[in-house]
Amino acid sequence: MLSIHRSEAKIKNSYIHGSNLPELTARQYMCSTKHKTFKTVYVGLVESGMPCDPCITVKPVIYPIIKEHGTAVCAKIAFNHLNPGHLIEWFEYQKLMHVNTVLVMLQYLNDEALKVLTFYERQGFLKILPYPTVLPGQTDRGFESTNWHLEQSSHDEQVAVYTCQTYFQGYEFVAVIDFDEFIVHDKFMSYMTMLKSELLPAYPDAAAFTLNVSFFITDWGVSGVEPLLTSKYIQRTLPRFERYKNLYIPKRIQNINTHEIQPKEGYTRILLRTHNVVLYHYRRCPRDDMKWKYCMQIQPRIDKKNVSIDAKTA
């Protein structure tokens, strides 16, 4: 009782990063199902001229959710070790911002952090999709900074971004951020309110909004009150156009990656260099980056904005 429909797969998007070619390139394929008479349950790719073997080559089809007025967050890939308390804080902040759905691909994770993810998955707030524990190919690499492969790892990460792009195509707004990043409006507007009341009225043809980043460098030491990450570290840099992230409108974009956006014709990407919404990034000093060579000598600015919201929601 097996029905099979076969059509030619075409490349929809192919990720380009730097001048050197990786061993494995991140790509999106698409194929026509126009003449198909049944609902697809599995899909697979085989070389041209080769027979279809449904026992080996197929994966379950994931149908995207249509949420016309929904806000989503793409958290890319969960891997290695994550602080469970900081994860809870991050998820609860996304709820305060009226996010409807978070998507993450899971590679491998410490047990306590995994319990947090499964808790929010049971709530229906988080969608978890699998990611290979052992990365394919011969290149030895991972997502940790100590095992990041300059040519290959960004393509591995892009697989998750492409997954988010497809899964969230029926949402109104999507943010691509990591678990140590918070989008903060100076009046703590939700993402949807901020976009509808401030950003889109000012930029009606926008496909995406690119945010400046203020870095809360944890190497500067504890400057606030524990236990929350956002109240523990209150020293930050001035907003910088560096390692920036995006809020985008799915129906107006052609292609995305972690930092860049390709809008559809007629739309544009807006760089919010001076706006009152900033990405707060909590991290150690990236000493492997020449621009941050003297990061311990940067004069920080005190910012207690998140301390006030932490107190209200504690």
Side-chain angles (χ1 to χ4, degrees), residues 206-226:
F209 298 95
T210 301
L211 308 177
N212 275 354
V213 184
S214 272
F215 294 90
F216 289 73
I217 302 299
T218 57
D219 291 329
W220 290 342
V222 175
S223 48
V225 293
E226 299 193 54

Side-chain angles (χ1 to χ4, degrees), residues 111-131:
D111 291 342
E112 292 304 311
L114 182 58
K115 288 178 183 177
V116 174
L117 295 190
T118 53
F119 171 79
Y120 286 102
E121 183 182 39
R122 286 196 302 269
Q123 286 191 344
F125 185 62
L126 173 67
K127 176 70 175 179
I128 301 175
L129 296 177
Y131 193 94

Side-chain angles (χ1 to χ4, degrees), residues 107-151:
Q107 189 188 31
Y108 61 96
L109 205 56
N110 52 305
D111 291 342
E112 292 304 311
L114 182 58
K115 288 178 183 177
V116 174
L117 295 190
T118 53
F119 171 79
Y120 286 102
E121 183 182 39
R122 286 196 302 269
Q123 286 191 344
F125 185 62
L126 173 67
K127 176 70 175 179
I128 301 175
L129 296 177
Y131 193 94
T133 301
V134 179
L135 295 170
Q138 300 301 313
T139 304
D140 182 23
R141 81 281 189 193
F143 296 108
E144 305 88 348
S145 59
T146 54
N147 203 21
W148 184 266
H149 188 277
L150 189 60
E151 285 78 29

Side-chain angles (χ1 to χ4, degrees), residues 16 21-22 24 104 113 125-126 144 147 149 163 205 225 254 257 267 307:
I16 299 173
L21 292 176
L24 300 170
V104 68
F125 185 62
L126 173 67
E144 305 88 348
N147 203 21
H149 188 277
T163 301
D205 296 326
V225 293
Q254 179 66 37
N257 61 52
Y267 297 102
V307 176

Side-chain angles (χ1 to χ4, degrees), residues 281-292:
H281 189 169
Y282 295 80
R283 63 161 300 157
R284 298 194 67 180
C285 191
R287 289 183 171 84
D288 55 337
D289 190 326
M290 288 301 295
K291 290 183 290 186
W292 287 88

